[in-house]
Amino acid sequence: MSFDAIKFRQALGTFATGVTVVTARAPNDELLGVTVSSFNSVSLDPPLVLFSLDRRASSVGAYEAASHFAVNVLDRSQIELCEKFAQPLSDKWNGVAFEDGAGRAPVLPGSLAVFECRAWATYDGGDHVIFVGEVVNLRARHDGSPLLFHGGAYKSVSGLES
């Protein structure tokens, strides 16, 4: 490799991404939630999306065992939720409102969009596990502004229109 991991990460940081919280329910009924910016569409037919988690995350095994997950696309007003689910805390769900979605995966009210998914496949992604889900239900609103991550900081869209 002609560049180092730090330069690679810095270059990736120039690509602005939306911020999501991916939620699920483990087979033992434990609530799972993690902040993820590695979310992407895969296919329209069938409707598939993906996200990836670091293999070192303590919740990887529970996500692999979950039958469903929900990708909650965060509004810029949800930065506190973003930060809460980005931490390796055992009480992430304390005080967090949610409702059950497909497969009882938690859905976070106020999200710009929620992709409720049935687990489809997992793939080796080097130091990450790639999770693919089939979208079985979706919710979307168009009156907010997305929370973005760019250059190592949270941002929001302001005044850009085509």
Side-chain angles (χ1 to χ4, degrees):
M1 193 163 48
S2 62
F3 52 89
D4 64 29
I6 293 172
K7 286 182 181 177
F8 183 54
R9 187 175 181 101
Q10 288 171 338
L12 290 171
T14 66
F15 183 69
T17 62
V19 181
T20 68
V21 171
V22 179
T23 58
R25 228 179 248 273
N28 68 359
D29 215 36
E30 174 189 9
L31 294 173
L32 305 172
V34 64
T35 298
V36 171
S37 60
S38 59
F39 165 68
N40 208 24
S41 62
V42 176
S43 169
L44 293 177
D45 186 18
L48 302 175
V49 296
L50 70 76
F51 73 95
S52 62
L53 284 181
D54 190 317
R55 287 188 182 283
R56 296 171 298 179
S58 61
S59 59
V60 166
Y63 275 98
E64 289 174 319
S67 66
H68 291 75
F69 60 84
V71 180
N72 300 270
V73 178
L74 298 186
D75 183 270
R76 71 178 175 193
S77 67
Q78 295 176 299
I79 195 163
E80 287 180 25
L81 270 178
C82 169
E83 291 173 344
K84 187 169 197 169
F85 284 101
Q87 302 301 315
L89 303 172
S90 60
D91 64 346
K92 290 181 184 184
W93 289 95
N94 186 28
V96 174
F98 69 91
E99 59 186 68
D100 284 341
R104 297 185 59 228
V107 170
L108 302 174
S111 298
L112 285 178
V114 180
F115 298 87
E116 298 174 47
C117 302
R118 176 179 19 256
W120 176 276
T122 59
Y123 297 97
D124 178 7
D127 60 4
H128 280 62
V129 176
I130 300 167
F131 294 83
V132 177
E134 178 183 20
V135 179
V136 295
N137 190 38
L138 63 92
R139 308 166 192 214
R141 63 184 184 86
H142 304 283
D143 62 344
S145 181
L147 180 61
L148 303 176
F149 193 72
H150 176 259
Y154 298 111
K155 311 278 174 127
S156 64
V157 176
S158 60
L160 296 177
E161 302 215 10
S162 55

